[in-house]
Amino acid sequence: MSTVNVFLWIVQGLLAAMFVMAGLMKASQPKEKLAASLPWVESFPLGVVRFIGVAELLGGIGLILPAVTGTAPILTPVAAVGLAVTMALAAVWHGRRKEFSSIGINAVLLILSLVVAWGRFGPHAF
């Protein structure tokens, strides 16, 4: 196993953990509880917040499960691209709300997702 492949697995694992945790939180907690730490949820209906949570949850699972099981491993980089798009949209939203500290987190997750997509679509595919 190459060093880059090990690196990609580590990044996939970290991203998966972050997105699964964030997704579970958004998909299951009451809006009032979410608003205490995520003020942006007040700008969206509960259904949209739940949709974002489910998308993040499924994306996080998609970073690991297809590759580990060998079932449709192409879904791993597809999930990475989907999460990168989600983070790009989140950064735009936070920028409009002047929540600049949140953009940094979005940017890091966006870049890491793109690294996984590059590696798994390209030279280090399964």
Side-chain angles (χ1 to χ4, degrees):
M1 188 178 283
S2 75
T3 305
V4 176
N5 193 34
V6 171
F7 170 76
L8 288 171
W9 271 112
I10 291 168
V11 173
Q12 283 173 240
L14 292 172
L15 284 173
M18 293 183 75
F19 281 112
V20 166
M21 287 189 306
L24 280 173
M25 182 178 68
K26 292 172 192 149
S28 64
Q29 290 186 0
K31 190 173 179 179
E32 297 76 29
K33 186 173 180 181
L34 288 171
S37 58
L38 304 170
W40 61 266
V41 301
E42 294 294 341
S43 300
F44 290 96
L46 181 60
V48 174
V49 175
R50 297 282 190 243
F51 175 79
I52 292 168
V54 169
E56 289 178 346
L57 176 63
L58 292 175
I61 292 168
L63 288 172
I64 302 293
L65 194 59
V68 168
T69 63
T71 305
I74 189 67
L75 293 177
T76 294
V78 170
V81 169
L83 291 169
V85 169
T86 302
M87 289 299 99
L89 294 171
V92 169
W93 179 255
H94 290 300
R96 288 182 179 174
R97 291 177 49 97
K98 299 189 184 344
E99 298 170 344
F100 300 114
S101 62
S102 297
I103 295 173
I105 295 166
N106 298 142
V108 168
L109 295 174
L110 168 68
I111 291 166
L112 290 175
S113 296
L114 290 175
V115 167
V116 170
W118 162 81
R120 295 309 186 196
F121 271 131
H124 302 284
F126 300 107

